[in-house]
């Protein structure tokens, strides 16, 4: 297959109109994400879509133009067991059980997010959703194509995603329910704002002045930490952070855990994944130990752990590991012509 996926998806941009959902019910109950695989005590940091954006080849608003070339459609993918997204940079990408040639990974982008509903990404500065069908929905038809596209984040406690958008010259952070395709809340921000996390409808926003929390139910914005503190991840009320402890931690409605900035939390917040097949507990419980030792790790959208390790004789082998059992299944070999194996949006 020699199709340029960038041009294919440019041809097939397709906005989706979904039925109106019960947003109050979503926020009140914090219903869990649509996951087909049963997760007992683990989960995954939702992964930002480095590789998808690279494979699609979006490089900014100047590249966001339709083409009249007749090319093969991307076709449906299978997210039943998570996105299982990994790649050999510049050579091939694996996503949803499919393998695509990837010749334009120059445009790697960590501003997107993989979700059980598909991949939320920016094309020309505008947020869009690559769906399991292979089609792309425009999430904000009125958005302006600007360079404000902070990293999108997904909520582990409900089908919510937070992303950036510019409308009428004003930068905003938007929280959308992907199940009902309805906007939950909008919040005007400065253009230097970074979205660090989304959990239980609360968004963690960072600027040079420090980190604040925005409650999408009440609209209240509160200070959380100073400029030297970085929020690495937030899941199920657990905050993984690096740097000085947030001010007045006893008054915060979160359980604080100090860790590395490139570490990740499981969906239930009970374990930390950080460069090891041993996931350390955050609450004094028992660690989770994966059956395989690898070099690179990520948490997939269904809660399993993806692990890639170098193989004897060259290349790499990728595994998908269940939690909490740690049992791993080999997904297959991966060439490493482009360097280290890569997982979507993961720096580990």
């Amino acid at each position: 297959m020699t199709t340029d996926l960038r041009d294919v998806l440019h041809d097939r941009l397709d906005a989706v109109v979904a039925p109106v959902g019960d947003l109050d019910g979503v926020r009140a109950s914090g219903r869990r994400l649509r996951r087909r695989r049963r997760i007992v005590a683990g989960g995954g940091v939702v992964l930002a879509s480095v590789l998808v954006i690279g494979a699609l080849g979006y490089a900014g608003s100047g590249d966001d133009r339709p083409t009249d070339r007749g090319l093969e459609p991307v076709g449906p993918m299978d997210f039943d067991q998570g996105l299982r997204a990994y790649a050999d940079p510049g050579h091939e990408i694996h996503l949803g059980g499919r393998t695509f040639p990837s010749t334009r990974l120059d445009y790697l982008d960590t501003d997107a997010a993989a979700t059980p509903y598909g991949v939320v990404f920016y094309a020309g500065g505008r947020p869009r959703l690559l769906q399991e069908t292979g089609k792309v929905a425009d999430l904000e038809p009125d958005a302006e194509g600007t360079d404000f596209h902070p990293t999108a984040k997904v909520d582990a406690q409900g089908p919510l995603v937070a992303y950036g958008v510019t409308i009428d010259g004003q930068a905003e952070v938007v929280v959308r329910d992907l199940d009902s395709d309805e906007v939950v809340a909008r919040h005007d921000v400065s253009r230097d704002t970074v979205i660090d996390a989304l959990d239980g409808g609360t968004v963690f926003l960072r600027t040079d002045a420090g980190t604040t929390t925005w409650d999408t139910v009440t609209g209240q914005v509160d200070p959380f930490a100073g400029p030297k503190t970085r929020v690495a991840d937030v899941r199920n009320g657990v905050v993984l952070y690096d740097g000085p402890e947030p001010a007045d931690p006893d008054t915060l409605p979160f359980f604080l855990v100090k860790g590395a900035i490139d570490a990740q939390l499981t969906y239930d917040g009970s374990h930390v994944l950080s460069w090891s097949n041993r996931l350390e507990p955050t609450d004094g419980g028992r660690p989770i130990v994966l059956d395989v030792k690898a070099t690179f790790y990520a948490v997939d959208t269904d809660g399993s752990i993806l692990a890639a390790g170098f193989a004897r004789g060259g290349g790499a082998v990728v595994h998908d590991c269940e939690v909490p059992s740690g049992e791993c299944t080999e997904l297959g070999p991966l060439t490493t012509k482009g360097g280290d194996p890569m997982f979507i949006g993961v720096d580990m």
Side-chain angles (χ1 to χ4, degrees):
M1 177 176 174
T2 59
T3 299
D4 186 332
L5 298 184
R6 168 182 60 183
D7 293 334
V8 170
L9 289 186
H10 284 174
D11 289 341
R12 298 177 61 84
L13 291 177
D14 181 14
V16 172
V17 179
V20 176
D22 180 7
L23 300 183
D24 292 335
V26 172
R27 282 172 265 182
S29 64
R31 67 176 182 263
R32 69 179 184 273
L33 290 170
R34 178 177 62 94
R35 286 173 289 181
R36 300 183 182 93
R37 180 186 294 179
R38 184 168 181 262
I39 302 172
V40 177
V45 169
V46 177
L47 311 175
S49 180
V50 174
L51 308 181
V52 170
I53 300 307
L56 302 185
Y58 286 118
S61 58
D63 192 40
D64 187 28
R65 296 171 294 181
T67 174
D68 57 5
R69 292 171 55 191
L71 298 174
E72 302 168 75
V74 173
M77 293 165 281
D78 183 1
F79 297 163
D80 281 3
Q81 299 183 45
L83 266 65
R84 290 183 167 182
Y86 55 94
D88 176 14
H91 293 274
E92 66 180 28
I93 176 172
H94 298 252
L95 175 65
R98 299 278 304 282
T99 301
F100 302 106
S102 179
T103 59
R104 282 184 166 80
L105 282 175
D106 305 345
Y107 305 110
L108 294 180
D109 194 333
T110 59
D111 294 337
T115 84
Y117 296 85
V119 181
V120 176
F121 66 98
Y122 295 98
R126 302 176 180 89
R128 288 168 180 163
L129 174 67
L130 172 62
Q131 300 168 311
E132 190 171 10
T133 61
K135 295 182 179 181
V136 175
D138 191 345
L139 297 178
E140 298 281 340
D142 297 328
E144 301 166 12
T146 70
D147 60 358
F148 178 66
H149 40 80
T151 303
K153 296 292 183 180
V154 183
D155 198 326
Q157 299 191 54
L160 306 180
V161 63
Y163 54 80
V165 68
T166 302
I167 297 179
D168 295 331
Q170 175 62 56
E172 301 177 356
V173 171
V174 179
V175 173
R176 177 179 291 271
D177 181 339
L178 292 177
D179 189 39
S180 66
D181 193 33
E182 290 290 326
V183 170
V184 173
R186 295 179 180 272
H187 179 54
D188 290 350
V189 296
S190 60
R191 298 184 66 85
D192 65 338
T193 298
V194 177
I195 305 171
D196 275 338
L198 168 62
D199 184 61
T202 297
V203 187
F204 288 72
L205 303 172
R206 174 170 50 88
T207 66
D208 291 342
T211 300
T212 59
T213 59
W214 165 42
D215 188 325
T216 59
V217 176
T218 65
Q220 184 170 335
V221 177
D222 294 309
F224 179 78
K228 293 184 179 180
T229 299
R230 290 283 304 277
V231 172
D233 198 13
V234 185
R235 299 292 170 199
N236 199 32
V238 178
V239 177
L240 184 67
Y241 74 96
D242 182 43
E245 188 175 53
D248 300 322
D250 292 339
T251 67
L252 296 174
F254 305 102
F255 181 69
L256 303 180
V257 177
K258 192 172 179 61
I261 190 59
D262 56 0
Q264 306 167 49
L265 287 169
T266 54
Y267 260 64
D268 60 3
S270 66
H271 289 81
V272 177
L273 174 65
S274 183
W275 294 96
S276 171
N277 70 323
R278 181 184 174 94
L279 283 67
E280 297 296 343
T282 60
D283 58 359
R286 300 181 62 180
I288 295 173
V289 181
L290 307 181
D291 285 348
V292 299
K293 291 184 178 180
T295 307
F296 307 95
Y297 299 90
V299 192
D300 203 358
T301 55
D302 67 342
S304 63
I305 307 298
L306 298 174
F310 293 109
R312 292 181 179 179
V317 177
V318 181
H319 288 82
D320 191 0
C321 304
E322 297 284 355
V323 290
S325 69
E327 182 178 353
C328 300
T329 301
E330 183 176 327
L331 298 182
L334 180 71
T335 64
T336 53
K337 298 177 182 177
D340 293 339
M342 295 188 68
F343 293 116
I344 289 180
V346 179
D347 294 330
M348 298 176 66

